[in-house]
Amino acid sequence: MKSIVVYCGSSPGTNQTYKEVARELGEKMASRSIRLIYGGGNLGLMGTVADSVILNGGQVTGVIPNFLAALEVAHQTLTELHFVETMHERKFKMVQFAKGVVALPGGYGTLDELFEILAWRQLKLYDGPIAVLNTNGFYDLLLQQLDRMVEDGFLKPENRALLIVAETVDEVLEKIEEYWQEII
């Protein structure tokens, strides 16, 4: 496992716990020599996780569309920063670099990225593990909705099982590592 994409909010949220978990994820990724791949921003949880990886001696690759970089939200101290034209290019380039995906709390953008990569996984366009870090029960209602989709016949149980759920940073990193050990 060399790199993980992290999807998360460009806002810090209202609960300090989310920022603390983003910081912890960054620290533990750096300590395990896991490169962070993310959206390249310096705001919110995105900036927190990137700063934490950097402060702990880790490597960070950002991918940001030019229109967002022009708004001065691009992080300036990353290991590398790639500029793309569209959000679609950004999402594609991010997962090209990654051996796993973790979603922290976030808004529409986080959910967009999470569901697109799940659809890609279902269609076998991406083969890595995909997880949500369910901090403070943030994803509980979403997980209930996914179960409802299975119950009502819109989502196959094996596709529902593509989403790994973890409650702690250690658990999410261990589950991603276990995924690759089972494949090999």
Side-chain angles (χ1 to χ4, degrees), residues 43-172:
L43 304 172
L45 297 184
M46 288 196 320
T48 299
V49 71
D51 287 342
S52 181
V53 172
I54 293 165
L55 288 171
N56 288 280
Q59 304 290 308
V60 179
T61 298
V63 182
I64 192 164
N66 288 321
F67 77 92
L68 285 179
L71 296 174
E72 299 183 23
V73 297
H75 202 295
Q76 300 300 309
T77 61
L78 305 179
T79 309
E80 59 184 1
L81 182 60
H82 299 265
F83 295 92
V84 295
E85 288 303 314
T86 69
M87 294 296 280
H88 291 289
E89 286 179 81
R90 174 198 221 179
K91 290 185 276 189
F92 180 71
K93 191 169 196 79
M94 285 168 56
V95 296
Q96 281 184 311
F97 293 127
K99 289 301 208 177
V101 172
V102 174
L104 299 177
Y108 285 148
T110 302
L111 293 180
D112 169 64
E113 292 168 322
L114 176 62
F115 280 108
E116 184 163 14
I117 197 64
L118 282 168
W120 289 4
R121 180 81 168 80
Q122 178 180 326
L123 296 169
K124 301 186 183 354
L125 299 173
Y126 177 73
D127 67 349
I130 303 164
V132 292
L133 187 48
N134 194 26
T135 303
N136 199 36
F138 182 83
Y139 284 108
D140 286 351
L141 295 175
L142 180 68
L143 298 169
Q144 288 177 22
Q145 180 61 44
L146 296 178
D147 292 339
R148 173 71 186 264
M149 292 162 70
V150 171
E151 289 171 19
D152 288 353
F154 292 103
L155 184 61
K156 293 178 182 176
E158 60 268 24
N159 292 328
R160 166 64 177 89
L162 295 175
L163 182 62
I164 297 167
V165 179
E167 303 298 322
T168 67
V169 169
D170 287 329
E171 182 184 12
V172 78

Side-chain angles (χ1 to χ4, degrees), residues 14-59:
T14 58
N15 186 329
Q16 185 65 23
T17 301
Y18 301 134
K19 190 171 182 176
E20 291 167 11
V21 167
R23 187 177 301 114
E24 179 186 357
L25 179 61
E27 289 170 8
K28 291 187 175 176
M29 286 177 68
S31 73
R32 295 179 184 211
S33 298
I34 300 169
R35 177 183 285 267
L36 168 66
I37 312 294
Y38 85 117
N42 64 0
L43 304 172
L45 297 184
M46 288 196 320
T48 299
V49 71
D51 287 342
S52 181
V53 172
I54 293 165
L55 288 171
N56 288 280
Q59 304 290 308

